[in-house]
Structure formats: C-alpha cells, structure tokens
Amino acid sequence: MRFYTVETDGKQMPAVMHKSGKLLPINDFADMNELIEFMTAEQLKQLNALCNDEKADKLLAFGEVKLCAPIPFPKQDLICLGVNYSEHIEETKDIEDFAGKTDAVYFSKRANYAIGDGEFIPNYDFVDSLDYEAELGAVIGRDCKNVSEENALDYIFGYTVINDISARNLQFKHKQWFYGKSLDGYTAMGPCIVTADEIGDINSLRISCSVNGELRQNSSTALMITKIPQAICELSLGFTLRSGTIISTGTPGGVALGMAEPKWLKSGDEVICEVEKIGRLRNIVS
C-alpha cells in the first residue's frame, strides 16, 4: 500500500491510494504517527480490502489536496547513515577522508517539520553552500530492541524518499553535522510511504537526483555499504527504536560537495529526488 499525508480545507490527514488511483482518507487516526503506532494487523487487512473495493466512496483526487510529507512532524530526530556509498566516500575524500572506515557512521537530523513534495526549500542568507542528497528512508513500524539482522525487516512499516538537504558551510564549521542538516525546511520527504510488499528487493532500487533537469546522482541501493537490516540490528542493540522512527540510509555520489567546482543550489532551482518503486520528490529552492 501507498500511504500519504494530505491537506484539505486546512486540515492534514493520512490517506492511502485506492485501486482507482485516487486517495482514500483514513479517519481512524489523527495523523501518520498515530496510524503507524496503533494500526492493528486486522485494521491493515480491512484497509487493504477497502483499497480494492470498487464501491469505496469519499475518494479524493490528487488535484483536490495538497501533498504533505508522509510524516510532517516526526516524533524524534531522524537517524542518518553518513558516507554509506563508496562513490560518495571517494568524491569527498579531500574534505574528510572516510576511506578507511570499517563501521557505519551515524548522525541525527532535526526535522521540526518535514517538507513534502512541491514545497519550497528555504534559502537562508547565511548559507552559501546549499546541497542535496537523495536517500532511501526506512520507517520503523513497531518498537524494537535487540533485533537480529534476520528479523530486522519485519519491523519496517514502509519506505520513502528523503532529500537530506545540507548547509555545507555550517556542517563543517561546527565539526558535527547536526546543525548544518537541521535547519527548518532541510528535511524533504515523500511523496508517500510504500509498504515492503509493493517493493520486493529493497537492495536493488535505482536512486537518483536531478537539478533543473540535469542528472546529478544516479545509483542503486545495491551499492549501500551498511544495509538496512544491519543498521537496525546494530542501532537496536541496547537502543530502542520507537515506532515512527525514520532512518535515512545515506546518499550516493554526485552531490555538489564532491564536484571540482561545486554547483550549489540557488534560488529557483528545481530538485527532484527519486527512488524506484516509491516515487519522485520535487522541491524548489525559494
């Protein structure tokens, strides 16, 4: 299933895609966080049946609503994997060399409000090196702790597309990456959360990013160094991952930071991040 958060008449609500291609509002839960935490297996089964019911009513066309990030207000900071593709390590080695790393690099990213498809990326006057990072996001479906790699994917609610927008000057000025990646509007997510049964092998998806039609990133999740089950297993060792936790799994090569002459994002630029079988996340720099 494909889960969305939509806004209509000034109110946000979760919705799911109906077989007709329209959206079926979900009125049993206040928001996506509540849906992920409290939806039972039986409710999920009933919802799936409704999605395939030709007589379902009160459907909404995409043109009737505003698409928000699927989780506009994350309950906790995003957990991010840094330098999780070899090509990204190679392109940034002259800035910070991770070529010899043997373990995953984890950092957190604050998102007071995650922007959705079509929303604007803020252009702050104190940021002179605005960058994009297309990433696959994994959303935890139920609390987990001390989970094995073999069972890790059982705890996933679904997957989404994330643009880990970064102010590089702030990222490196403060040594830790948190501030430069956590400004308001610097987490873009969407267009939806897709459940695992619609994706199949999560380790063979094309991931890309284009800026003004120019393909900048073009890779595959097959090239991820630390795979999602390994990350969940490691993170959950003595660390409870709550339902609704968002894990951003790292970006491939092709970011502006890695260019000999960086093409930083500027006002008016259109950024499209895409992950195969999930969708396109389009944002414009304000």
Side-chain angles (χ1 to χ4, degrees), residues 40-222:
T40 65
E42 181 58 31
Q43 286 175 310
L44 191 63
K45 181 179 178 181
Q46 292 172 1
L47 185 59
N48 188 48
L50 277 175
C51 289
N52 291 285
D53 185 354
E54 294 181 358
K55 298 180 180 179
D57 58 5
K58 298 181 180 178
L59 299 178
L60 299 170
F62 277 89
E64 296 179 74
V65 300
K66 172 189 172 183
L67 279 188
C68 305
I71 305 178
F73 299 98
K75 291 191 293 185
Q76 301 179 24
D77 291 352
L78 279 69
I79 299 173
C80 304
L81 277 78
V83 287
N84 200 28
Y85 287 78
S86 296
E87 59 206 50
H88 186 45
I89 293 176
E90 177 64 24
E91 71 179 355
T92 58
K93 66 181 181 181
D94 292 337
I95 300 163
E96 193 166 359
D97 191 359
F98 286 94
K101 84 177 184 76
T102 57
D103 298 298
V105 174
Y106 298 112
F107 64 94
S108 61
K109 179 180 177 80
R110 177 66 50 87
N112 293 315
Y113 174 78
I115 63 173
D117 182 64
E119 293 191 73
F120 286 92
I121 298 169
N123 188 12
Y124 297 104
D125 59 9
F126 54 88
V127 174
D128 61 12
S129 45
L130 184 60
D131 210 347
Y132 51 84
E133 293 190 2
E135 307 201 4
L136 170 68
V139 181
I140 298 294
R142 54 195 173 100
D143 292 0
C144 59
K145 187 174 181 179
N146 301 327
V147 175
S148 68
E149 284 191 40
E150 293 73 21
N151 295 328
L153 294 184
D154 295 340
Y155 290 84
I156 296 290
F157 176 76
Y159 301 93
T160 191
V161 182
I162 291 174
N163 186 353
D164 175 20
I165 302 156
S166 306
R168 299 301 190 187
N169 59 315
L170 300 181
Q171 178 181 345
F172 295 110
K173 174 184 178 182
H174 296 284
K175 306 305 179 185
Q176 297 291 334
W177 300 351
F178 181 79
Y179 179 42
K181 289 174 172 283
S182 298
L183 300 183
D184 289 348
Y186 273 22
T187 297
M189 186 191 316
C192 58
I193 297 172
V194 182
T195 52
D197 58 297
E198 290 206 10
I199 291 180
D201 185 5
I202 200 66
N203 293 315
S204 62
L205 303 178
R206 179 175 178 265
I207 180 170
S208 65
C209 178
S210 65
V211 179
N212 300 327
E214 176 191 1
L215 188 62
R216 299 274 185 91
Q217 296 182 280
N218 186 23
S219 189
S220 169
T221 57

